[in-house]
Amino acid sequence: MRAPHLPRMVRHGLSRPRRLAVAAAVGVMATLACQPLAFAHVSVSPDTAEPGEPSMLSFGVPNERDDATTTRLEVTFPADHPLSSVTPQSMPGWQITVHKEPMDKPAGAGDEMDNQTVSSIVWEGGSIPADTFTNFTVRIGKMPDTGQLSFKALQTYSDGQVVRWIDLMQPGQPEPEHPAPTVTIAKAAAPAESTSDSDPVARILGGVGIAAGVAAAGVAFTRRRAAPVDQAVPEREKARL
């Protein structure tokens, strides 16, 4: 069957297998061209962190539109897991505003934010052109002991459109259209311990086994060396007779 939608030179200049391959490639390209960039979400990296440890989080913001630039990002920090020490990385061309609120419970001594929690951070004044992305990085002095941290993000375009990345993931449900960047607090798995290095009893038993083996080998060697001498005694006695 001829492919009427392919150019004339393709139909006549290629073999049938190659024509089929070209037709499949054209179909895939057309499908991709018609689909929106639904996979280009505002995300956070890394998406896991150790409890009680400092962490560097980067919010990756892609520009999904061809006719506008991204000019503002607002990230809201989780109220159920207040973070008292958050420092944004300096970004040339962007004005950064950190919003704070008093903590319900006093923070421990030495906290950098003086008993305040960061409620949100706003980056504005810069620009993310089409087909590019920018990372907005913050340093968190101490992560919570457990739980999941959801950072709701508002992305504003140059024409005033606001995309709300605020939908929370639900267990057993597919990913929502505009998921909020989420970090899971999980303790790193401890490396497996080697028995020979960690168990003193095993080391002692191993040493005893080696010593016993050496002793048994010595006894066997001695017996093999003594056997020819014992066999030679009757021969000498016969010679005397």
Side-chain angles (χ1 to χ4, degrees), residues 13-155:
L14 299 175
S15 63
R16 179 178 176 81
R18 292 187 177 182
R19 290 201 303 270
L20 293 176
V22 171
V26 171
V28 171
M29 293 173 61
T31 301
L32 293 177
C34 295
Q35 290 181 344
L37 295 178
F39 56 85
H41 299 333
V42 172
S43 60
V44 62
S45 178
D47 58 4
T48 59
E50 288 195 44
E53 297 293 331
S55 183
M56 297 283 289
L57 301 181
S58 291
F59 297 94
V61 181
N63 190 80
E64 296 182 302
R65 294 180 52 182
D66 296 331
D67 57 348
T69 60
T70 295
T71 58
R72 186 178 188 272
L73 174 69
E74 180 177 0
V75 174
T76 301
F77 285 69
D80 55 343
H81 292 90
L83 301 173
S84 61
S85 174
V86 180
T87 306
Q89 184 179 33
S90 175
M91 296 183 63
W94 292 85
Q95 179 182 346
I96 305 174
T97 305
V98 179
H99 296 281
K100 309 173 189 176
E101 294 180 354
M103 296 186 68
D104 294 337
K105 297 181 180 180
D111 280 347
E112 301 175 18
M113 291 300 180
D114 192 20
N115 293 335
Q116 291 184 323
T117 179
V118 175
S119 57
S120 67
I121 298 181
V122 175
W123 293 264
E124 56 188 341
S127 178
I128 306 178
D131 299 324
T132 64
F133 76 96
T134 298
N135 282 325
F136 298 82
T137 303
V138 300
R139 180 187 183 276
I140 298 179
K142 182 179 180 181
M143 300 298 286
D145 293 333
T146 186
Q148 283 192 329
L149 309 182
S150 295
F151 300 88
K152 297 182 178 182
L154 303 181
Q155 180 181 9

Side-chain angles (χ1 to χ4, degrees), residues 169-175:
M169 293 288 295
Q170 301 297 330
Q173 299 296 323
E175 183 180 76

